[in-house]
């Protein structure tokens, strides 16, 4: 099953796993598309090692394919999709589960840090309390933002 990537915006971050096993991120610096057919586009990404080219025809099915940051692997469709999304059978449309739109993904039931608790111990508690964090590539960023906005509870 294949589908087309959504058109990125200038400045969007994409990621892939390079041959060393590290996550490589790139930023969209150029975009070419037609106003009559917005689903057809070509973009230029800038990486640490140079430039990469990406188009709407690419289907992110392996770790080494460019995909929008935060997408996770879906075993049923054999492709990377946004968290909470699936592909409707018989079509190429990405459908979100109810209540799992991208804007709501950061609203996870994370435990509140206790007064005097260190970040690493709170992070371990958060991973145990919310198992969905383990497979989410955006988990470190979500945890960091939550920690910075924390309201500590005294026990």
């Amino acid at each position: 099953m294949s589908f087309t990537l959504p058109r990125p915006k200038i400045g969007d971050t994409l990621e892939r796993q390079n041959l060393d096993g590290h996550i490589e991120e790139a930023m969209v610096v150029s975009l070419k598309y037609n106003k009559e057919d917005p689903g057809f586009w070509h973009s230029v990404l800038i990486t640490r090692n140079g430039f990469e080219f990406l188009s709407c025809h690419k289907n992110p099915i392996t770790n080494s394919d460019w995909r929008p940051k935060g997408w996770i692997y879906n075993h049923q469709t054999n492709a990377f999709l946004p968290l909470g999304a699936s592909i409707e059978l018989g079509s190429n449309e990405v459908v979100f589960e109810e209540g799992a739109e991208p804007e709501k993904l950061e609203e996870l039931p994370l435990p509140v840090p206790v007064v005097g608790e260190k970040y690493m111990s709170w992070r371990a508690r958060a991973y145990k309390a919310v198992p969905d964090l383990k497979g989410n590539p955006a988990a470190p960023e979500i945890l960091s933002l939550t920690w910075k906005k924390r309201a500590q509870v005294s026990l």
Side-chain angles (χ1 to χ4, degrees):
M1 175 168 284
S2 67
F3 67 98
T4 58
L5 284 171
R7 187 178 77 203
K9 297 176 185 161
I10 301 286
D12 280 359
T13 304
L14 284 84
E15 67 180 1
R16 72 174 177 185
Q17 186 173 349
N18 63 18
L19 296 175
D20 297 336
H22 296 105
I23 298 296
E24 181 179 10
E25 294 184 1
M27 185 173 68
V28 178
V29 294
S30 175
L31 191 60
K32 180 180 176 184
Y33 63 94
N34 188 339
K35 288 183 181 180
E36 283 80 37
D37 186 12
F40 184 76
W41 54 269
H42 298 281
S43 67
V44 177
L45 309 174
I46 189 164
T47 69
R48 180 176 181 258
N49 299 322
F51 295 96
E52 296 274 340
F53 302 97
L54 184 67
S55 72
C56 62
H57 304 296
K58 190 66 177 161
N59 182 13
I61 59 172
T62 68
N63 280 338
S64 60
D65 292 331
W66 288 108
R67 61 191 177 272
K69 188 175 180 181
W71 282 26
I72 58 172
Y73 186 75
N74 184 311
H75 293 283
Q76 294 170 341
T77 59
N78 190 32
F80 282 86
L81 296 174
L83 190 60
S86 62
I87 294 183
E88 200 171 276
L89 292 176
S91 79
N92 290 342
E93 295 297 315
V94 175
V95 178
F96 285 97
E97 297 169 6
E98 192 170 319
E101 287 80 22
E103 299 83 44
K104 299 178 183 176
L105 293 177
E106 293 183 8
E107 299 173 9
L108 297 171
L110 295 173
V112 179
V114 178
V115 172
E117 186 175 26
K118 303 290 184 195
Y119 174 74
M120 296 305 280
S121 61
W122 171 78
R123 188 183 77 166
R125 280 194 315 118
Y127 275 114
K128 287 178 186 173
V130 184
D132 293 339
L133 285 173
K134 291 181 183 172
N136 187 348
E141 187 175 322
I142 292 169
L143 291 173
S144 177
L145 290 172
T146 305
W147 178 259
K148 290 174 184 171
K149 298 177 185 175
R150 70 188 181 276
Q152 293 185 342
V153 176
S154 59
L155 293 176

